């Protein structure tokens, strides 16, 4: 039904780095791990093939600094190696469970992102064959399968291929061995792996371009099922059938500076303040003022097919799901198509009503979110057209969906999404405009929406001026144990997102709720110790929202309001009022969320929390 125009991204929960070339591998691997710290992890490790000691492996639980202490002054010397940051799935974060995992003789090292679903089947058989397991992980099964396969071959790539043919699950792997020295073998199935093509015969491997962009901007993104061999004589890529195939070399369009802090204290702070720029990028070349429409190059779909849609499902997880809620409202309001937002993690496990005229849209910053991928796969299995909205080029969702939109927001390093959320909302507004103008929206309505969208970067820059005021509010409320966030209509998803940000980075319990539903339960929690954050722009339900504030004040609650209003009424009711510029109601969330992002950030900093790497969280959840 629908054409395919969505190409190849990077990003995963754990992190992989590999190097083979003329230089010492150890420092390059450590540098790459440092660039991957933002993704969330609980242990680190590296293996380097040395000329005199064979494969030398060092790993530690905890942050990268623990591994640095181990290798400080004693870095293994060698020109081929692999490294990893782990986020625990099978077994707690211990030295034994950390990657790389090695063979019984210590001459094969392997790092792995993903889950081996049939590990429990292989483990007893391997133990019977005499293989000793030292960890609780599923990954160790894979390294022993490679070891077993080496009994039938002298080539590392053949041993890895034989091992992978026996497993079920997802993987992004890199393997090195003293039995076939000087080469790396990598593979991808459901978890991203890219190759870095360096100068002077050096090659790098990574799960994220951030780990290697200081050394090369030329990358080859493996497709699902691909594998590759890298060594002194070059590299070869193989398709799922094992045939040699050429994959296109792409150029990373951002540099290491874009992925750095740029003088800011934290990535989260930098990315909040980058939002005027990221909004310009998502709209660059896409607004058609005269036509009152949008131009989306990733959507090569006949107009008749779009007009024929009778339902849309937007599916996502976490912050992206909050953006999906807003997109669903916009699509219904402007394009007049029945639309629902679904948790991807729930969507795939029930029996949703779908048809070939149901468009399923998946939203993910990384494009690698496992639950969202699975939801899209289920939609495709049922014959639905699929669309992706992702930030990174070449991700699994980009490759899976029929068409889509890239955000072009640049690298987002902070685990708590900020600029990707506002970009996702605007990307959905662009698609809404595109679809609505092909259905029932007039050119005058289209021009009004185009004008409002074009003004957003300027208005967001104006909104950021509340930063100083928000910092003082954070100082007054940083010790509060609970927060309640309220919003109506388009502001309800903003309340959810504001509460999520506070939970993620400050570890304070917070709950987002529809303001009208407060009286159906949460009002029981309101007292003088409960700050209530209320989204109260001057929209069609402004008076209703003021009534909710009065209900809170009647119970001695402390109100922090975000509003466009300059009248006395809200200033008399609320304890704190953060004023943001006005825009049309459907786009107000892009501005209203900014003070909430800043509030979460400042409270977390004042509480001494690790803002960029909150405990137990990862940037991209590539496991179910």
């Amino acid at each position: 039904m629908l054409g395919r125009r969505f190409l190849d991204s990077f990003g995963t929960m754990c992190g992989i780095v590999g190097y083979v070339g003329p230089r010492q591998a150890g420092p390059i691997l450590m540098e790459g791990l440092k660039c991957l710290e933002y993704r969330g992890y609980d242990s680190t490790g590296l293996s380097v093939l040395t000329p005199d000691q064979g494969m030398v492996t060092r790993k530690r639980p905890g942050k990268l600094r623990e591994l640095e202490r181990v290798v400080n002054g004693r870095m293994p010397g060698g020109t081929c190696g692999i490294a990893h940051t782990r986020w625990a799935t099978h077994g707690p974060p211990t030295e034994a469970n950390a990657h790389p995992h090695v063979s019984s003789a210590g001459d094969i090292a392997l790092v792995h992102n993903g889950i081996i679903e049939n590990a429990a089947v292989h483990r007893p058989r391997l133990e019977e064959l005499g293989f000793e397991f030292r960890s609780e992980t599923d990954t160790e099964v894979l390294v022993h399968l490679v070891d077993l396969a080496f009994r039938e071959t002298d080539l590392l790539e053949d041993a890895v291929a034989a091992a992978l043919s026996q497993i079920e699950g997802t993987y992004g792997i890199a393997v090195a061995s003293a039995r076939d020295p000087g080469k790396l073998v990598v593979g991808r199935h459901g978890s991203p792996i890219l190759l870095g093509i360096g100068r002077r015969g050096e090659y790098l491997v990574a799960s994220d371009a951030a780990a290697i962009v200081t050394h090369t901007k030329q990358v080859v993104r493996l497709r699902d099922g691909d594998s590759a061999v890298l060594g002194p004589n070059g590299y070869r890529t193989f398709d799922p059938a094992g045939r040699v195939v050429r994959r296109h070399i792409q150029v990373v369009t951002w540099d290491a500076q874009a992925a750095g802090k740029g003088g800011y204290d934290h990535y989260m702070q930098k990315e909040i303040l980058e939002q005027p720029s990221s909004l310009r990028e998502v709209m660059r070349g896409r607004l058609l003022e005269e036509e009152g429409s949008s131009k989306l190059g990733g959507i090569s779909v006949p107009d008749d097919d779009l007009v024929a849609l009778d339902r849309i499902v937007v599916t996502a997880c976490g912050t992206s799901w909050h953006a999906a809620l807003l997109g669903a409202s916009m699509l219904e309001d402007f394009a007049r198509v029945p639309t629902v937002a679904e948790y991807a993690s729930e969507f795939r496990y029930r029996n949703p009503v779908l048809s070939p005229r149901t468009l399923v849209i998946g939203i993910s910053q990384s494009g690698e979110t496992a639950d969202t991928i699975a939801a899209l796969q289920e939609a495709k299995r049922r014959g639905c057209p699929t669309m992706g909205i992702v930030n990174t080029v070449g991700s699994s969702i980009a490759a899976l969906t029929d068409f889509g939109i890239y955000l072009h927001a640049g690298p987002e390093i902070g685990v708590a999404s900020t600029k990707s959320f506002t970009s996702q909302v605007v990307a959905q507004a662009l698609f809404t405009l595109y679809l609505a103008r092909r259905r029932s929206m007039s050119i005058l309505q289209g021009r009004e929406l185009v004008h409002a969208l074009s003004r957003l970067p300027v208005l967001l820059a104006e909104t950021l001026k509340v930063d100083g005021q928000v910092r003082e509010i954070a100082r007054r409320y940083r010790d509060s144990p609970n927060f309640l966030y309220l919003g109506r209509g388009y502001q309800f998803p903003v309340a959810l997102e504001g509460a999520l940000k506070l939970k993620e980075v400050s570890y304070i319990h917070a709950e987002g709720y529809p303001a009208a539903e407060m009286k159906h339960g949460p009002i029981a929690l309101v007292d003088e110790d409960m700050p209530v954050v209320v989204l109260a722009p001057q929209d069609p339900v402004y008076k209703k929202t003021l009534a909710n504030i009065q209900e809170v004040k009647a119970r001695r609650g402390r109100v922090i309001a975000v509003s466009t209003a300059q009248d006395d009424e809200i200033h008399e009711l609320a304890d704190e009022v953060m004023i943001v510029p006005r825009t049309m109601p459907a786009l107000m969330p892009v501005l209203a969320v900014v003070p909430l992002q800043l509030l979460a950030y400042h409270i977390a900093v004042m509480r001494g929390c690790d803002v960029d790497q909150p405990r137990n969280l990862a940037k991209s959840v590539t496991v179910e």
Side-chain angles (χ1 to χ4, degrees):
M1 172 182 173
L2 299 176
R4 186 178 186 84
R5 277 285 307 278
F6 207 10
L7 304 174
D8 304 306
S9 150
F10 32 83
T12 184
M13 176 174 283
C14 306
I16 287 175
V17 192
Y19 176 84
V20 59
R23 292 189 284 167
Q24 290 295 302
I28 296 171
L29 297 176
M30 291 298 291
E31 176 190 357
L33 292 182
K34 190 172 290 292
C35 293
L36 294 178
E37 282 192 289
Y38 75 94
R39 292 210 161 270
Y41 66 100
D42 48 42
S43 56
T44 62
L46 60 76
S47 292
V48 176
L49 185 56
T50 69
D52 52 351
Q53 297 175 275
M55 190 70 70
V56 175
T57 299
R58 301 284 184 265
K59 49 188 185 175
R60 292 293 296 166
K63 295 298 184 182
L64 182 59
R65 58 179 173 268
E66 300 300 325
L67 181 63
E68 288 175 323
R69 291 191 184 107
V70 171
V71 301
N72 185 30
R74 299 184 300 277
M75 182 75 72
T79 59
C80 177
I82 54 177
H84 192 265
T85 60
R86 176 182 186 249
W87 192 87
T89 55
H90 291 65
T94 64
E95 184 170 331
N97 289 334
H99 295 223
H101 288 286
V102 298
S103 58
S104 299
D107 55 359
I108 306 169
L110 181 149
V111 291
H112 167 228
N113 293 346
I115 291 179
I116 308 303
E117 294 176 357
N118 61 342
V121 174
H122 288 294
R123 187 163 180 145
R125 178 174 69 90
L126 290 166
E127 288 175 329
E128 288 179 6
L129 290 171
F131 290 96
E132 179 186 357
F133 282 81
R134 304 184 182 97
S135 77
E136 302 169 65
T137 69
D138 55 331
T139 299
E140 195 176 2
V141 164
L142 187 51
V143 75
H144 290 318
L145 287 173
V146 174
D147 193 358
L148 180 63
F150 249 129
R151 297 178 181 179
E152 307 295 329
T153 182
D154 295 325
L155 296 176
L156 178 59
E157 56 266 39
D158 290 347
V160 172
L164 292 177
S165 70
Q166 302 177 64
I167 67 165
E168 299 171 5
T170 59
Y171 59 81
I173 62 165
V175 192
S177 175
R179 300 189 206 176
D180 191 4
K183 68 170 63 167
L184 296 178
V185 175
V186 300
R188 169 187 178 165
H189 179 66
S191 189
I193 288 290
L194 57 85
L195 316 180
I197 313 304
R199 296 170 296 176
R200 301 182 302 276
E202 68 177 12
Y203 300 94
L204 298 102
V205 174
S207 53
D208 185 325
I212 63 174
V213 74
T214 58
H215 301 285
T216 180
K217 290 190 175 184
Q218 294 193 89
V219 300
V220 174
R221 305 184 191 280
L222 296 188
R223 300 180 187 177
D224 237 26
D226 280 358
S227 59
V229 182
L230 306 92
N233 298 321
Y235 74 96
R236 290 173 294 154
T237 54
F238 304 87
D239 68 11
R243 297 175 296 234
V244 175
V245 62
R246 292 179 65 87
R247 296 299 187 207
H248 178 61
I249 295 178
Q250 299 177 332
V251 178
V252 177
T253 57
W254 49 271
D255 56 22
Q257 186 175 1
K261 292 181 184 177
Y264 294 97
D265 293 332
H266 303 93
Y267 286 114
M268 184 178 180
Q269 180 190 32
K270 173 177 178 276
E271 287 153 9
I272 291 171
L273 299 179
E274 281 179 339
Q275 288 177 107
S277 175
S278 59
L279 292 191
R280 289 189 185 94
E281 290 304 314
V282 74
M283 290 187 286
R284 188 181 299 278
R286 288 172 166 171
L287 290 177
L288 302 175
E289 187 172 359
E290 283 300 311
E291 293 92 332
S293 187
S294 61
K295 177 183 178 181
L296 300 173
I299 303 181
S300 58
V301 185
D303 287 353
D304 289 347
D305 289 343
L306 287 175
V307 172
L309 293 172
D310 57 18
R311 186 165 180 258
I312 298 175
V313 176
V314 194
T315 185
C317 301
T319 284
S320 296
W321 181 69
H322 299 156
L325 287 170
L326 292 165
S329 294
M330 284 189 282
L331 284 162
E332 285 205 338
D333 284 354
F334 295 106
R336 309 306 298 156
V337 184
T339 307
V340 295
E342 295 261 14
Y343 278 118
S345 54
E346 294 292 326
F347 177 80
R348 62 174 300 204
Y349 290 112
R350 58 188 192 82
N351 190 23
V353 178
L354 301 171
S355 79
R357 293 172 65 182
T358 302
L359 173 64
V360 179
I361 303 173
I363 306 178
S364 166
Q365 189 280 140
S366 68
E368 303 294 346
T369 308
D371 287 318
T372 308
I373 291 170
L376 289 165
Q377 289 171 332
E378 177 66 13
K380 291 181 76 70
R381 189 182 70 81
R382 292 170 178 245
C384 297
T386 56
M387 173 181 172
I389 297 177
V390 300
N391 187 34
T392 44
V393 178
S395 62
S396 296
I397 288 176
L400 171 66
T401 47
D402 298 309
F403 61 93
I405 301 173
Y406 285 123
L407 302 180
H408 302 303
E412 185 178 67
I413 308 301
V415 168
S417 293
T418 51
K419 67 177 181 178
S420 65
F421 172 76
T422 50
S423 292
Q424 287 167 352
V425 174
V426 170
Q428 290 178 96
L430 291 170
F431 178 65
T432 297
L433 178 61
Y434 185 93
L435 181 58
R437 286 289 287 121
R438 284 153 179 78
R439 291 173 66 93
S440 59
M441 179 182 278
S442 71
I443 190 170
L444 292 179
Q445 291 173 310
R447 286 174 178 171
E448 181 185 4
L449 183 51
V450 167
H451 177 71
L453 283 166
S454 68
R455 289 276 299 155
L456 278 179
V458 173
L459 297 180
L460 202 149
E462 183 72 20
T463 303
L464 287 169
K465 294 179 181 179
V466 303
D467 187 33
Q469 179 191 5
V470 175
R471 188 183 296 110
E472 291 307 309
I473 293 172
R475 197 178 310 281
R476 289 192 282 273
Y477 293 92
R478 64 184 180 184
D479 296 322
S480 299
N482 300 284
F483 275 70
L484 182 63
Y485 287 70
L486 301 176
R488 285 176 173 263
Y490 279 105
Q491 298 306 316
F492 165 51
V494 181
L496 293 174
E497 176 62 11
L500 177 62
K501 283 293 148 294
L502 190 67
K503 281 183 281 196
E504 286 179 321
V505 299
S506 75
Y507 316 140
I508 294 174
H509 173 258
E511 187 172 1
Y513 233 79
E517 288 293 305
M518 178 183 63
K519 56 185 174 290
H520 296 292
I523 199 168
L525 300 173
V526 176
D527 60 19
E528 64 273 13
D529 296 320
M530 167 74 86
V532 181
V533 180
V534 183
L535 284 306
Q538 287 179 302
D539 57 16
V541 292
Y542 177 56
K543 291 296 183 183
K544 298 287 187 183
T545 305
L546 289 180
N548 295 132
I549 294 176
Q550 289 173 326
E551 291 172 339
V552 172
K553 295 303 294 182
R555 288 151 183 86
R556 297 181 297 169
R558 301 157 75 186
V559 174
I560 303 169
V562 177
S563 183
T564 57
Q566 299 288 354
D567 56 58
D568 293 336
E569 192 168 7
I570 193 166
H571 288 269
E572 291 172 357
L573 282 174
D575 298 273
E576 319 277 357
V577 182
M578 296 176 283
I579 298 296
V580 298
R582 297 187 67 171
T583 185
M584 61 193 311
L587 300 181
M588 268 307 305
V590 176
L591 306 180
V593 75
V594 172
L596 307 190
Q597 294 171 343
L598 290 168
L599 182 65
Y601 168 74
H602 287 303
I603 287 177
V605 170
M606 292 173 187
R607 289 168 64 92
C609 300
D610 191 341
V611 176
D612 291 327
Q613 299 172 45
R615 68 189 182 203
N616 303 330
L617 297 180
K619 183 62 180 170
S620 176
V621 184
T622 59
V623 294
E624 297 179 36

